[in-house]
Amino acid sequence: MNEVMKTILHRRAVRRFQQRQVAEDALEQILEAGLYAPSAGGRQGVLFAVCQDRQVNERLGKNKRANSHFRMASGGNCISREQPSIADDPKLTNAFYDAPTVITLFAPKNFLFGPEDCAVAAENMMLAADSLGVGSCYIGQGWTAFSDPYGQEILRQWNIRPDYYAVMQLLLGYPRPEDEHPTPKRRKEGRILRF
């Protein structure tokens, strides 16, 4: 099996991070992977806002948690038993799980394929992160982190164009050494249809 396939099969969402910051050389490679992701029409419209300010990330993560209106998991229907998500555990108040680096991916508001461009860039970055020993987790509905006056002020400070919106966040950090690498969920049968 080649190294790309090994990385694809090894990558998992990480929601428990050490507090040490991602090494700058690793971060640069991860961002480069995002820049080289495919984009509809080759437009390269995704903006990557990298925040390593712990206080800003914590406040935006709490905003996001407070403004996300999803149904909580119940019974045996959970996102992750090993590393609970904000949908699994109401005691988790930071939707960014205290990750030391949070990258918000922004796309043009009126471009049909903006979310897809962000998703493929995030996947490229998650694979690059895994290959470098960095944990990652993507969080959808990025705009909820900025839906209060504090979030709007951060958008102004970051000089985010008003014709762009936050599609998702990508969390980066080193997994905690006491946590085992999450085990893969069994692949569901019948998902490949051949004709």
Side-chain angles (χ1 to χ4, degrees):
M1 186 179 301
N2 72 39
E3 292 305 311
V4 173
M5 280 303 298
K6 287 179 186 174
T7 300
I8 290 170
L9 298 180
H10 183 263
R11 188 215 56 80
R12 298 282 174 274
V14 172
R15 294 185 189 87
R16 294 181 182 157
F17 300 96
Q18 298 177 39
Q19 285 309 297
R20 76 179 164 112
Q21 196 49 263
V22 175
E24 189 60 30
D25 63 327
L27 180 58
E28 289 302 319
Q29 290 180 68
I30 292 165
L31 289 166
E32 187 171 23
L35 292 174
Y36 275 84
S39 61
R43 290 171 55 118
Q44 301 179 45
V46 177
L47 301 179
F48 305 87
V50 181
C51 185
Q52 295 183 309
D53 183 315
R54 183 184 173 107
Q55 290 179 317
V56 172
N57 285 340
E58 183 176 346
R59 185 131 178 221
L60 290 175
K62 287 183 175 184
N63 282 356
K64 183 170 183 54
R65 175 66 175 95
N67 293 310
S68 296
H69 303 289
F70 47 76
R71 291 185 338 190
M72 295 299 291
S74 60
N77 186 20
C78 63
I79 305 295
S80 173
R81 292 192 194 318
E82 297 161 308
Q83 296 184 59
S85 81
I86 58 172
D88 297 326
D89 186 351
K91 292 180 291 222
L92 292 172
T93 59
N94 182 347
F96 298 159
Y97 305 104
D98 299 315
T101 298
V102 177
I103 302 173
T104 301
L105 286 76
F106 291 87
K109 289 179 178 175
N110 295 319
F111 182 54
L112 180 61
F113 300 112
E116 290 84 353
D117 286 354
C118 288
V120 74
E123 179 67 7
N124 263 24
M125 291 191 291
M126 289 186 289
L127 292 172
D130 187 82
S131 76
L132 296 165
V134 176
S136 66
C137 184
Y138 88 89
I139 310 291
Q141 298 183 338
W143 58 88
T144 57
F146 302 97
S147 59
D148 74 347
Y150 177 79
Q152 292 298 302
E153 177 57 30
I154 292 297
L155 292 177
R156 282 189 289 280
Q157 288 177 21
W158 290 355
N159 294 314
I160 301 300
R161 295 170 38 178
D163 58 331
Y164 271 68
Y165 75 107
V167 175
M168 64 179 59
Q169 279 85 22
L170 179 63
L171 315 180
L172 297 174
Y174 296 103
R176 297 189 322 193
E178 64 269 24
D179 289 327
E180 292 183 28
H181 186 70
T183 55
K185 292 181 179 177
R186 187 165 179 250
R187 301 296 101 175
K188 292 181 180 178
E189 303 269 335
R191 293 171 55 211
I192 298 174
L193 309 174
R194 295 181 185 229
F195 303 98

